[in-house]
Amino acid sequence: MSRQYPQINLSRRGLLKFSAGAIGTGVLTAGLNSNLLADENKAPAEDDITPDKALQELLDGNERFVQTKRKNPHQTHSRLVEVAKGQKPFASILGCADSRVPSEIVFDQGLGDLFVCRVAGNIATREEIGSLEFGSLVLGSKVIVVVGHERCGAVSAALKGGEVPGQIGSLIEAIKPSVESSKGQSGDKLENACKANILTQVKKLKSSPVLSELINAEKLKIVGAYYDLDTGKISIVA
């Protein structure tokens, strides 16, 4: 069955209001003009979905994945043609670039369902935050899930420390505060650091003026989740 989701109301007045609060993040600038909004409004008409329902849709999809009962929704040619007119993803994912955690597969979703940002260590950089602000404010995504995972290589590197080549160090520096905050906790050090890193990135996203205003208006939910590489199970951690 094809799901349908609501058009987000983006009048010029409403857009300017959000723009004033988003200048610091750079997500909405003069480049986000009426022509862009006109293109996005070409998406099919959609019914209402709440942030809680959007999150449950993701968790239900993951349960199907774990139970090997995937429906593989919205992966037909007709769906491709439908979303070519415009996108209205119901959920956004900030995930790790790890090849073992493909969002559409582990959440059992399809074309046009998820707005996905992936970077090693699932860190909320300025660019990732700006992208997710766009996905929520302009495209109408109702939930953002920060998905970290078991035995994350980027977090492991931050735990071990030492010199690394190229720009890899920028990733490690972004994760170090989470490693520090997890010290002294009982249990597996790497798992604790991975989960602490998820919580840190959730906090960063919630500090966005654009996203916080949507949260306060009950139009958006931001949560953290931990992916078990061995079972494929997603567990909410924040």
Side-chain angles (χ1 to χ4, degrees), residues 4-185:
Q4 300 293 319
Y5 305 103
Q7 293 273 9
I8 184 168
N9 181 15
L10 280 176
S11 64
R12 182 178 297 275
R13 180 179 299 175
L15 180 60
L16 290 175
K17 178 180 177 182
F18 273 108
S19 297
I23 291 175
T25 63
V27 63
L28 293 175
T29 63
L32 189 57
N33 55 30
S34 57
N35 290 333
L36 173 59
L37 296 179
D39 288 341
E40 295 302 337
N41 286 336
K42 293 179 182 178
E46 299 173 341
D47 299 326
D48 188 36
I49 181 173
T50 66
D52 286 335
K53 288 181 179 179
L55 177 59
Q56 190 59 53
E57 179 72 21
L58 290 176
L59 296 178
D60 289 345
N62 177 247
E63 184 63 24
R64 294 194 298 271
F65 172 72
V66 171
Q67 299 296 329
T68 64
K69 296 180 180 180
R70 291 171 59 203
K71 295 181 179 179
N72 301 311
H74 292 165
Q75 297 180 26
T76 63
H77 179 73
S78 62
R79 176 63 172 178
L80 184 151
V81 173
E82 177 187 9
V83 296
K85 301 172 185 177
Q87 59 171 323
K88 289 294 174 183
F90 75 91
S92 296
I93 308 295
L94 174 57
C96 184
D98 193 294
S99 62
R100 299 166 293 180
V101 196
S103 299
E104 281 81 3
I105 294 178
V106 302
F107 284 113
D108 193 24
Q109 303 300 323
L111 294 167
D113 291 332
L114 305 181
F115 189 77
V116 181
C117 295
R118 297 181 67 180
V119 59
N122 43 273
I123 56 177
T125 66
R126 290 181 62 188
E127 293 78 11
E128 302 290 348
I129 294 171
S131 296
L132 292 166
E133 288 173 337
F134 181 86
S136 299
L137 177 63
V138 179
L139 301 182
S141 174
K142 298 300 184 182
V143 63
I144 298 175
V145 183
V146 178
V147 182
H149 65 90
E150 183 183 24
R151 299 191 295 273
C152 179
V155 177
S156 178
L159 267 173
K160 294 175 182 177
E163 297 294 324
V164 293
Q167 297 300 312
I168 300 174
S170 65
L171 300 171
I172 294 175
E173 286 300 316
I175 297 171
K176 278 184 177 180
S178 301
V179 171
E180 290 298 318
S181 70
S182 67
K183 286 184 176 179
Q185 296 178 357

